[in-house]
Amino acid sequence: MRYRREDVVDRALRVLDDYGLADLTMRRLGTELGVQPSALYHHFANKQALLAAVADELLARGGRPVPPGEWDDRARVVCLSLRDACLAWRDGAEVVATARAFGLGGLAPYAALVDVLGEGGLGDELAGAAATTLVHLVLGHATDEQLRRQAGSAGALEADDLDRDFTAEVTTGVDLVLAGLRARV
């Protein structure tokens, strides 16, 4: 059977969710699709390109529209949407962070934040720095939350270590950054 690029990404997302990032290999993905791993290189030059497509797809599936309103409220929505999209998939935050680090994918939330912050009156340089800060904050929180939950499910952490309001923590962090930006504007 011949697969389209979208089919490969869809199956990669399922492998990611079932087995985690460490086991999302070209070999496993080929096995899941019933093809030789070399057939995947028809669609993706390397694993990094595959991860970039996976990151973009999980962000697209988890994205939500940014409603009209004040720039800081809109920026908060972009940040929480990024978090939700990452948390919807096992190791999602790590996938997005990896694709972003390589500059190959996972860039949509950054671009959305630059636009929203620019509309809020921040200059290009400050909007870029603020968007980077917010994306790193959210990805760091989401990665921490995913790692803690995985460790908890494996019995490596006590229930007390997981009895936290992760949403409140990241929202407070985002709000602190936004408050500082409001003061700058």
Side-chain angles (χ1 to χ4, degrees):
M1 178 174 191
R2 202 160 163 89
Y3 290 99
R4 295 173 299 137
R5 180 181 172 92
E6 296 81 21
D7 299 325
V8 175
V9 171
D10 187 58
R11 185 60 62 95
L13 278 166
R14 283 192 265 159
V15 170
L16 176 69
D17 222 24
D18 290 344
Y19 303 103
L21 181 57
D23 288 328
L24 177 55
T25 64
M26 298 303 249
R27 181 179 307 278
R28 179 180 290 271
L29 187 55
T31 299
E32 291 278 327
L33 290 168
V35 299
Q36 291 296 317
S38 60
L40 300 174
Y41 293 102
H42 172 73
H43 299 290
F44 301 99
N46 51 43
K47 185 177 177 182
Q48 289 75 26
L50 170 67
L51 289 178
V54 168
D56 288 340
E57 183 62 22
L58 75 84
L59 289 171
R61 289 184 186 189
R64 54 184 153 178
V66 180
E70 296 296 320
W71 67 269
D72 50 348
D73 292 332
R74 295 171 61 221
R76 184 179 305 102
V77 168
V78 173
C79 289
L80 297 179
S81 179
L82 168 59
R83 175 183 180 266
D84 292 346
C86 289
L87 294 179
W89 300 92
R90 180 175 178 177
D91 298 332
E94 188 176 355
V95 169
V96 173
T98 299
R100 194 173 148 25
F102 283 108
L104 299 172
L107 304 174
Y110 169 82
L113 282 168
V114 167
D115 288 345
V116 168
L117 297 171
E119 292 168 11
L122 282 70
D124 290 346
E125 188 174 324
L126 184 55
T132 297
T133 299
L134 288 164
V135 167
H136 286 173
L137 172 80
V138 173
L139 289 176
H141 269 275
T143 300
D144 182 62
E145 182 174 353
Q146 286 185 314
L147 289 172
R148 286 177 179 276
R149 293 197 187 283
Q150 288 172 14
S153 69
L157 288 177
E158 299 295 324
D160 291 347
D161 292 326
L162 298 172
D163 191 25
R164 300 167 48 180
D165 188 347
F166 292 104
T167 303
E169 288 178 13
V170 72
T171 302
T172 298
V174 167
D175 285 345
L176 287 169
V177 173
L178 293 174
L181 293 171
R182 275 192 303 275
R184 290 282 300 262
V185 173

